[in-house]
Amino acid sequence: GNSVTQMEGPVTLSEEAFLTINCTYTATGYPSLFWYVQYPGEGLQLLLKATKADDKGSNKGFEATYRKETTSFHLEKGSVQVSDSAVYFCALRGGGNKLTFGTGTQLKVEL
Amino acid sequence: NAGVTQTPKFQVLKTGQSMTLQCAQDMNHNSMYWYRQDPGMGLRLIYYSASEGTTDKGEVPNGYNVSRLNKREFSLRLESAAPSQTSVYFCASSVEVQGTNQPQHFGDGTRLSIL
């Protein structure tokens, strides 16, 4: 079956630091890949997506590239802000409508 | 824009009590989903409904039932609550167009504690 593995958190960074959150996946076929963000007390919001190999999704300064050869979709941001503090979920969608989520990575950004 | 609305936001139950979690979306989406979120386990799909009148089991359906009342509403029922069902429950919806990958839109969650 499909599965998503994310790096464990929490990740604590200083403001303006570089962020990488690793995500690897196992799936048959050609899944679509997503990053969702969850702010405290809220539901998940789509951050970015990529639907085929070598696609780069980007939004709000975050980027992730769909790497089929390494089955990875790592999330990066060049300079994080305190407002980026949240839980980040990597997810994949194989055949059908269903999403498979990773366990989430908590990010805390400090001044 | 309301998006996906879940009620209630918080609830405490005793073991054996029953409860229905409500979810409504105003985006004319055809697909709706119920997830539970537990520490260290991400989100796990309980049930989903690809269209009005259809429902299917997800990864963890035991102890739950669902009803797709109409296109807007998708409820989740716990018939006899157990402490293992203490969790945060999220409802989501999406528009499914063949050949595209539309995102799921989530509600703010229902925090359920079962004593």
Side-chain angles (χ1 to χ4, degrees), chain A residues 2-4 31-36 44-46 48-50 89-102, chain B residues 31-36 41-48 58-59 92-94 96 101-106:
Chain A
N2 297 335
S3 67
V4 175
S32 294
L33 301 173
F34 304 84
W35 277 101
Y36 280 83
L44 279 69
Q45 304 172 27
L46 179 67
L48 53 84
K49 69 177 183 180
F89 290 91
C90 185
L92 73 80
R93 175 175 166 166
N97 306 343
K98 294 178 284 186
L99 288 173
T100 299
F101 286 89
Chain B
S31 296
M32 298 185 73
Y33 312 83
W34 276 106
Y35 295 91
R36 60 178 290 173
M41 302 192 74
L43 275 76
R44 293 181 291 169
L45 183 66
I46 305 171
Y47 270 94
Y48 69 102
E59 183 183 353
S93 70
S94 64
E96 297 303 327
N101 284 284
Q102 301 301 316
Q104 293 184 11
H105 298 258
F106 285 79

Side-chain angles (χ1 to χ4, degrees), chain A:
Chain A
N2 297 335
S3 67
V4 175
T5 302
Q6 287 182 238
M7 64 187 287
E8 289 192 16
V11 173
T12 302
L13 295 174
S14 299
E15 201 169 43
E16 299 184 0
F18 184 85
L19 168 70
T20 300
I21 299 178
N22 291 337
C23 171
T24 58
Y25 67 90
T26 302
T28 55
Y30 302 94
S32 294
L33 301 173
F34 304 84
W35 277 101
Y36 280 83
V37 58
Q38 183 181 30
Y39 298 103
E42 299 183 9
L44 279 69
Q45 304 172 27
L46 179 67
L47 181 60
L48 53 84
K49 69 177 183 180
T51 57
K52 61 183 186 295
D54 299 325
D55 267 2
K56 177 185 283 188
S58 62
N59 186 26
K60 299 180 181 179
F62 291 89
E63 293 183 338
T65 301
Y66 189 150
R67 301 286 189 200
K68 190 166 178 61
E69 63 276 13
T70 54
T71 62
S72 65
F73 192 54
H74 304 322
L75 182 68
E76 297 181 336
K77 186 175 185 183
S79 176
V80 293
Q81 306 300 311
V82 172
S83 58
D84 294 326
S85 298
V87 180
Y88 293 82
F89 290 91
C90 185
L92 73 80
R93 175 175 166 166
N97 306 343
K98 294 178 284 186
L99 288 173
T100 299
F101 286 89
T103 55
T105 302
Q106 184 175 7
L107 170 66
K108 183 176 180 181
V109 181
E110 300 175 332
L111 290 171

